[in-house]
């Protein structure tokens, strides 16, 4: 299986990209969460100039964050700096929107956005709509400004249901998911994508790229001999994923209680404690300002008790060398092409651990 890394945009990110390339990793992604992290297009511009081989990904952008012309301009500009190395993840903006106190966009809008990006980044005209006004648009001056000749790989974020996987099938894109380590769930996503592709005639003039790979974002902690799999080190390495799920459950408990109801009693209690600890409630209109600070950052020691073993095992890879290889093999057999880790404790060391494990 291939290996990559996902990080937050911040000064010095290009140094991590260089190290990832030196370690032989296949891709380097930057989050697009505007009110929490820095700008991914700025960060990846630095990475593009500092590297020569590694794939560079936006993980992920959304029509709820950026217009199609603006996003396409950023992607094609990156493609001019790193020809053929750009990967664009697209999604409904679930987390990025919720950090604003807003809801994500719809699958239909996501699909229109994906179509527009695929067309524009291939130098083709596309239909662009704002309210009742509709126009065909295209890059008016490419050449040295942007690169629409080399292909950009597109992947659709599929998190909580089959709609996004169906978009990926119709648009012949790949898939990316966060913390989805259940092989059966991946089989279901791939079945949905395949059926959607089979039911949608291929447009010979469309630009959908040649790759339709699947990526899973997780964290990894290789246990030392006799190390507690649920000790402080393991909780620190995986806690950002667990707290992100708890924050989502806390944020959506009132509007979509079905998700929280899928959690076990201990996990629902952890959601309640998180709300209390952050000084907010599931119905407070400003709860997003209390739940999402330091999102996907290293957790505070006093929050380690919220990192439940059940959620660690669900969202992250913790175990011995043989344990981890066995789990990764099952994911590969389920059709996952690349394992992406999101390191927070010691990114260079965690990237080296990943490279050693998979080489």
């Amino acid at each position: 299986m291939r290996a990559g890394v996902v990080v937050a945009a911040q000064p010095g990110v290009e140094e991590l990209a260089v190290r990832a390339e030196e370690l032989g990793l296949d891709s380097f992604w930057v989050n697009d969460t505007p009110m929490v992290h820095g700008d991914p297009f700025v960060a990846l511009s630095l990475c593009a100039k500092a590297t020569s081989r590694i794939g560079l990904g936006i993980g992920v952008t959304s029509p709820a964050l950026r217009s199609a012309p603006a996003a396409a301009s950023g992607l094609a500009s990156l493609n001019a700096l790193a020809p053929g190395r750009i990967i664009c993840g697209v999604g409904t903006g679930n987390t990025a929107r919720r950090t604003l106190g807003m809801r994500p966009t719809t699958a239909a809008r996501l699909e229109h956005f994906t179509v527009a990006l695929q067309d524009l980044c291939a130098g083709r005209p596309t239909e662009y709509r704002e309210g009742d006004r509709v126009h065909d648009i295209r890059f008016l001056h490419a050449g040295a400004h942007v690169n629409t000749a080399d292909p950009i790989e597109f992947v659709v974020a599929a998190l909580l249901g089959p709609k996004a996987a169906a978009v990926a099938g119709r648009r012949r894109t790949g898939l990316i998911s966060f913390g989805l380590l259940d092989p059966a769930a991946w089989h279901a996503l791939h079945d949905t994508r395949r059926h959607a592709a089979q039911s949608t005639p291929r447009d010979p003039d469309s630009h959908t790229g040649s790759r339709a790979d699947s990526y899973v974002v997780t964290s990894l902690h290789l246990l030392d001999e006799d190390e507690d799999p649920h000790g402080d080190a393991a909780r620190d390495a995986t806690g950002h994923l667990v707290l992100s799920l708890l924050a989502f459950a806390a944020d959506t408990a009132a509007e979509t209680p079905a998700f929280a109801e899928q959690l076990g009693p201990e996990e629902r209690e952890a959601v309640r404690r998180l709300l209390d600890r952050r000084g907010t409630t599931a119905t407070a209109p400003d709860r997003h300002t209390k739940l999402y600070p330091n999102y996907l950052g290293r957790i505070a020691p006093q929050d380690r008790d919220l990192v439940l073993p059940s959620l660690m095992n669900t969202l992250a890879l913790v175990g011995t060398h043989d344990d981890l290889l066995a789990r990764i093999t099952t994911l590969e057999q389920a059709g996952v092409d690349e394992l992406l880790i999101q390191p927070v404790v010691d990114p260079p060391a965690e990237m080296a651990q990943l490279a050693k494990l998979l080489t």
Side-chain angles (χ1 to χ4, degrees):
M1 183 183 288
R2 302 197 311 264
V5 63
V6 184
V7 300
Q10 57 189 305
V13 69
E14 69 275 18
E15 297 171 10
L16 287 178
V18 169
R19 182 58 182 146
E21 185 168 83
E22 290 172 347
L23 289 167
L25 299 184
D26 294 279
S27 64
F28 187 89
W29 300 63
V30 179
N31 297 131
D32 191 8
T33 315
M35 293 296 98
V36 181
H37 304 138
D39 186 85
F41 290 93
V42 172
L44 287 180
S45 295
L46 296 171
C47 297
K49 297 296 288 183
T51 60
S52 61
R53 176 196 58 80
I54 197 167
L56 302 172
I58 300 281
V60 303
T61 195
S62 166
L65 298 175
R66 305 176 188 274
S67 71
S73 179
L75 290 165
S77 297
L78 285 174
N79 204 24
L81 297 176
R85 292 198 282 141
I86 305 305
I87 314 165
C88 178
V90 291
T92 58
N94 187 62
T95 300
R97 289 284 290 171
R98 294 191 182 280
T99 61
L100 309 176
M102 303 293 179
R103 292 192 177 191
T105 191
T106 63
R109 190 177 173 203
L110 168 63
E111 186 159 5
H112 290 312
F113 181 69
T114 305
V115 170
L117 290 185
Q118 288 177 315
D119 284 342
L120 291 171
C121 289
R124 292 168 47 82
T126 197
E127 182 181 274
Y128 179 65
R129 177 185 297 272
E130 286 188 5
D132 296 331
R133 305 188 70 178
V134 182
H135 292 285
D136 279 349
I137 62 170
R138 67 182 304 163
F139 282 115
L140 300 179
H141 190 180
H145 295 265
V146 295
N147 177 3
T148 58
D150 291 289
I152 291 175
E153 179 184 356
F154 288 91
V155 296
V156 171
L159 297 175
L160 302 175
K163 291 183 179 179
V167 171
R170 289 190 292 271
R171 299 312 309 159
R172 271 74 177 181
T173 75
L175 290 168
I176 186 170
S177 195
F178 183 87
L180 188 65
L181 301 180
D182 179 5
W186 275 105
H187 281 299
L189 286 177
H190 289 140
D191 284 345
T192 299
R193 180 175 62 175
R194 182 171 59 255
H195 291 154
Q198 290 171 347
S199 64
T200 306
R202 183 185 288 273
D203 180 354
D205 295 324
S206 69
H207 175 70
T208 56
S210 58
R211 289 176 62 166
D213 288 347
S214 295
Y215 301 81
V216 62
V217 182
T218 185
S219 61
L220 181 146
H221 182 67
L222 181 60
L223 295 173
D224 292 331
E225 187 176 355
D226 299 325
E227 181 184 350
D228 182 355
H230 303 127
D232 287 352
R235 290 176 191 247
D236 288 346
T238 63
H240 56 299
L241 298 189
V242 173
L243 288 190
S244 72
L245 183 144
L246 294 178
F248 175 78
D251 187 21
T252 61
E255 63 186 51
T256 53
F259 179 77
E261 289 170 0
Q262 296 176 24
L263 303 176
E266 187 182 15
E267 294 160 351
R268 290 196 295 271
E269 172 60 19
V271 172
R272 186 196 65 77
R273 295 206 313 275
L274 177 65
L275 284 165
D276 289 346
R277 200 166 292 181
R278 299 295 185 261
T280 190
T281 69
T283 57
D286 65 343
R287 62 187 180 274
H288 63 285
T289 65
K290 307 290 181 61
L291 290 170
Y292 292 107
N294 194 41
Y295 182 78
L296 291 178
R298 183 169 182 171
I299 66 168
Q302 59 267 29
D303 285 335
R304 285 175 180 149
D305 64 302
L306 298 174
V307 185
L308 304 180
S310 60
L311 295 178
M312 292 172 65
N313 295 338
T314 298
L315 299 172
L317 295 171
V318 177
T320 66
H321 184 275
D322 290 344
D323 293 336
L324 295 179
L325 283 182
R327 291 190 71 183
I328 290 169
T329 297
T330 63
L331 286 169
E332 191 169 25
Q333 292 170 344
V336 176
D337 299 289
E338 188 163 333
L339 181 71
L340 304 174
I341 66 163
Q342 188 139 31
V344 298
V345 176
D346 185 348
E350 292 173 71
M351 291 192 301
Q353 196 175 69
L354 174 66
K356 183 177 180 180
L357 181 69
L358 294 184
T359 56

